[in-house]
Amino acid sequence: MKKISLIFCAVLYFTSLKAQQYQPSAANLQQRQWFADAKFGLFIHWGPFSIPGSGEWVMNDRKLKVANYTNLKDFFNPIAFNAAEYVSIAKNAGMKYITLITRHHDGFSMWDTKYSDFNIMNTPYKKDIVKMIADECHKQGIKLYLYYSLLDWRRDDYPHETGKTGQNTGRKGKGDYASYLQFMKNQLTELLTNYGEIGGIWFDGHWDQTAPEGEKDRSSRIDWKYDELYGLIHRLQPQCMIGNNHHLSPFSGEDFQMFERDLPGENKSGLSFQTASDQLPLETCETISDSWGYNLSDTRYKSDKELIHMLVKASSLGANLLLNIGPMPSGKIQPEFQDRLAKIGAWLKINGESIYGTKAGFLKPTKSWSMTQKANKIFLHFLDNTNDPVTFEPTGFKKIIKAYRLDGGDPVKINFKNGKYEFVNPNSNPTVDDVVVLETK
């Protein structure tokens, strides 16, 4: 009898475990494929934190108290904001989606929320930024993803006493995660019921409750109840993807994996010790300058060549590039950002076939070249003027039957010797990225 009971309990346990495993819907799988094909998106870091002109971490970095920081809402009046212009700039840059900051670590909500007074409707502007962006995205055919911070430097119920950041904002006592979790559920419900179809939720802040990146044990000091948060999102909008910038391998219930300031497999930032998933779509997020939010003193702008190479290398690793802008407090987008986005868009109008809908190349990128693939085509991207040859054996195909430059279609000589192909940049005057198309069978 005891043995039967144990077997019965084991069956119940494994049945329950299986029931809890996340099974993405057909709509979600379709959204993942769209996302993997899209390759290029716009990240928008913007809010009252832009007013001091010191980046989005100004509240934490300057050790500002909650009461003092809250005064910023009375100065946030972005009269130069134009949602149609924002979306058009992204679209003309060749971007397929926008990821908008709805609530950053400072706790300010960029929409008309019922669950916090620290929101856009209680500023002189009094207009719902999320709604305007959402409406314009739907109108112009751009997918909308929403960034949402898991941590909060203002709220007393956030478990601030165990967090790494926001320790100087004047909060006392202990947090109440049950209360804070309900607050997040309420806000996420608003975002997923009032603004039409949402492509995905981009979470950030899990790392506030863990040891630093690179430590052996990075388990969280609190139980975030992701099964409840993720379950809510997938119930409200089954196609909605979930990503979490925790700098760890993906958790159950997540639909894409992101890398902050790194390409998958790299760790130049010191944040990306995790292995790239071979099951989920990948995304790397980066800045045009050195800052995410508006920073008056940051004038280190990456060139359009650097940014195009970043997009190419991300694509050659099977990842998207989410490229950030930090608008001014007025809502104006810096001309330095606009100029670079326009130049990327001009390049994509000619070379977009080698980026959109591609998969990772069978050879990893180098400093001199990258490779993307689509159907029976291999795209070789020559990134500098060193004329370093690309040499490879037939991999996944029998032979190359045609080679030509993507820009103009001029034929390229096929060199095959000792069972290997070899190609060099056929352009005697190398440009930002010279793309050679290899058709195979």
Side-chain angles (χ1 to χ4, degrees), residues 205-244:
H206 174 98
W207 36 260
D208 189 54
Q209 298 288 341
T210 72
E213 288 76 4
E215 294 291 326
K216 185 176 181 180
D217 182 3
R218 291 202 61 230
S219 55
S220 178
R221 289 184 284 273
I222 66 171
D223 179 0
W224 293 93
K225 306 285 186 182
Y226 285 134
D227 56 336
E228 296 183 31
L229 280 175
Y230 293 0
L232 171 70
I233 294 166
H234 286 136
R235 284 195 302 274
L236 290 173
Q237 294 205 25
Q239 87 294 333
C240 186
M241 298 170 65
I242 295 173
N244 194 327

Side-chain angles (χ1 to χ4, degrees), residues 67 199 343 359:
K343 287 178 178 175
K359 63 180 182 179

Side-chain angles (χ1 to χ4, degrees), residues 60-75:
N60 179 80
D61 293 347
R62 293 191 184 178
K63 302 179 181 180
L64 302 175
K65 303 300 183 188
V66 169
N68 293 336
Y69 188 84
T70 302
N71 290 333
L72 285 179
K73 70 178 174 55
D74 296 326
F75 297 90

Side-chain angles (χ1 to χ4, degrees), residues 7-26:
I7 293 172
F8 179 71
C9 288
V11 169
L12 280 179
Y13 172 77
F14 286 110
T15 300
S16 174
L17 186 65
K18 185 175 180 181
Q20 291 175 22
Q21 290 178 343
Y22 170 50
Q23 297 293 328
S25 67

Side-chain angles (χ1 to χ4, degrees), residues 83-89 91 135-142:
E85 181 183 26
Y86 274 46
V87 179
S88 294
I89 286 172
K91 193 171 185 178
D135 289 349
E136 200 58 43
C137 280
H138 299 323
K139 180 180 178 181
Q140 294 195 38
I142 295 292

Side-chain angles (χ1 to χ4, degrees), residues 48 115 139 166 178 228 256 282 300 324 353 392 413-414 436:
Y115 300 99
K139 180 180 178 181
E228 296 183 31
F256 68 104
L282 308 176
R300 292 166 54 91
N324 182 73
E353 183 189 354
F392 54 88
K413 183 181 178 181
I414 300 174
V436 171

Side-chain angles (χ1 to χ4, degrees), residues 34-149:
W34 178 91
F35 182 80
D37 290 341
K39 288 295 184 287
F40 196 23
L42 179 68
F43 213 176
I44 303 176
H45 271 72
W46 188 41
F49 55 69
S50 63
I51 295 172
S54 295
E56 75 289 351
W57 274 59
V58 63
M59 183 181 187
N60 179 80
D61 293 347
R62 293 191 184 178
K63 302 179 181 180
L64 302 175
K65 303 300 183 188
V66 169
N68 293 336
Y69 188 84
T70 302
N71 290 333
L72 285 179
K73 70 178 174 55
D74 296 326
F75 297 90
F76 192 50
N77 189 21
I79 57 175
F81 169 68
N82 184 318
E85 181 183 26
Y86 274 46
V87 179
S88 294
I89 286 172
K91 193 171 185 178
N92 291 334
M95 293 162 159
K96 303 299 183 182
Y97 62 99
I98 288 175
T99 301
L100 174 68
I101 298 292
T102 63
R103 172 176 166 270
H104 206 264
H105 312 324
D106 65 351
F108 184 82
S109 299
M110 294 284 277
W111 76 98
D112 185 6
T113 178
K114 297 177 181 177
Y115 300 99
S116 171
D117 292 335
F118 194 47
N119 73 72
I120 191 67
M121 304 308 290
N122 290 326
T123 69
Y125 192 63
K126 298 185 184 303
K127 297 176 186 176
D128 189 327
I129 297 290
V130 174
K131 185 178 190 311
M132 289 188 282
I133 288 283
D135 289 349
E136 200 58 43
C137 280
H138 299 323
K139 180 180 178 181
Q140 294 195 38
I142 295 292
K143 294 270 190 181
L144 180 61
Y145 286 64
L146 302 178
Y147 170 110
Y148 188 85
S149 175

Side-chain angles (χ1 to χ4, degrees), residues 87-370:
V87 179
S88 294
I89 286 172
K91 193 171 185 178
N92 291 334
M95 293 162 159
K96 303 299 183 182
Y97 62 99
I98 288 175
T99 301
L100 174 68
I101 298 292
T102 63
R103 172 176 166 270
H104 206 264
H105 312 324
D106 65 351
F108 184 82
S109 299
M110 294 284 277
W111 76 98
D112 185 6
T113 178
K114 297 177 181 177
Y115 300 99
S116 171
D117 292 335
F118 194 47
N119 73 72
I120 191 67
M121 304 308 290
N122 290 326
T123 69
Y125 192 63
K126 298 185 184 303
K127 297 176 186 176
D128 189 327
I129 297 290
V130 174
K131 185 178 190 311
M132 289 188 282
I133 288 283
D135 289 349
E136 200 58 43
C137 280
H138 299 323
K139 180 180 178 181
Q140 294 195 38
I142 295 292
K143 294 270 190 181
L144 180 61
Y145 286 64
L146 302 178
Y147 170 110
Y148 188 85
S149 175
L150 291 163
L151 74 92
D152 193 300
W153 292 329
R154 295 178 71 261
R155 291 183 64 93
D156 290 328
D157 54 357
Y158 174 73
H160 52 88
E161 70 279 4
T162 55
K164 290 188 295 192
T165 64
Q167 292 299 317
N168 297 286
T169 63
R171 292 173 292 183
K172 306 294 183 183
K174 291 185 177 181
D176 179 356
Y177 189 67
S179 169
Y180 186 71
L181 176 63
Q182 188 58 53
F183 161 73
M184 290 198 292
K185 288 180 179 179
N186 291 339
Q187 286 210 314
L188 288 165
T189 298
E190 289 179 327
L191 291 171
L192 290 166
T193 55
N194 297 335
Y195 300 96
E197 182 177 311
I198 301 301
I201 299 294
W202 209 102
F203 284 118
D204 192 19
H206 174 98
W207 36 260
D208 189 54
Q209 298 288 341
T210 72
E213 288 76 4
E215 294 291 326
K216 185 176 181 180
D217 182 3
R218 291 202 61 230
S219 55
S220 178
R221 289 184 284 273
I222 66 171
D223 179 0
W224 293 93
K225 306 285 186 182
Y226 285 134
D227 56 336
E228 296 183 31
L229 280 175
Y230 293 0
L232 171 70
I233 294 166
H234 286 136
R235 284 195 302 274
L236 290 173
Q237 294 205 25
Q239 87 294 333
C240 186
M241 298 170 65
I242 295 173
N244 194 327
N245 190 36
H246 41 52
H247 309 144
L248 294 161
S249 297
F251 301 161
S252 176
E254 295 172 5
D255 304 297
F256 68 104
Q257 181 185 18
M258 66 272 283
F259 293 81
E260 183 175 351
R261 294 189 182 275
D262 280 311
L263 294 173
E266 295 183 357
N267 189 19
K268 295 178 181 178
S269 70
L271 300 174
S272 303
F273 293 85
Q274 70 272 33
T275 301
S277 171
D278 59 1
Q279 301 294 320
L280 300 179
L282 308 176
E283 179 186 72
T284 183
C285 57
E286 249 296 2
T287 55
I288 293 177
S289 60
D290 284 343
S291 305
W292 297 102
Y294 180 62
N295 192 325
L296 277 168
S297 62
D298 184 1
T299 57
R300 292 166 54 91
Y301 304 110
K302 298 174 183 68
S303 68
D304 55 291
K305 180 177 180 179
E306 289 178 284
L307 296 171
I308 289 171
H309 288 186
M310 194 181 297
L311 173 60
V312 169
K313 288 186 175 181
S315 298
S316 72
L317 291 167
N320 292 11
L321 174 63
L322 182 62
L323 188 59
N324 182 73
I325 60 169
M328 300 177 182
S330 65
K332 181 180 177 181
I333 299 173
Q334 289 178 239
E336 294 87 354
F337 295 163
Q338 294 194 44
D339 175 68
R340 283 156 178 78
L341 292 176
K343 287 178 178 175
I344 299 172
W347 182 86
L348 280 167
K349 284 180 180 178
I350 298 171
N351 299 285
E353 183 189 354
S354 68
I355 300 296
Y356 303 122
T358 61
K359 63 180 182 179
F362 62 82
L363 294 179
K364 297 294 184 184
T366 71
K367 183 180 179 182
S368 299
W369 54 265
S370 283

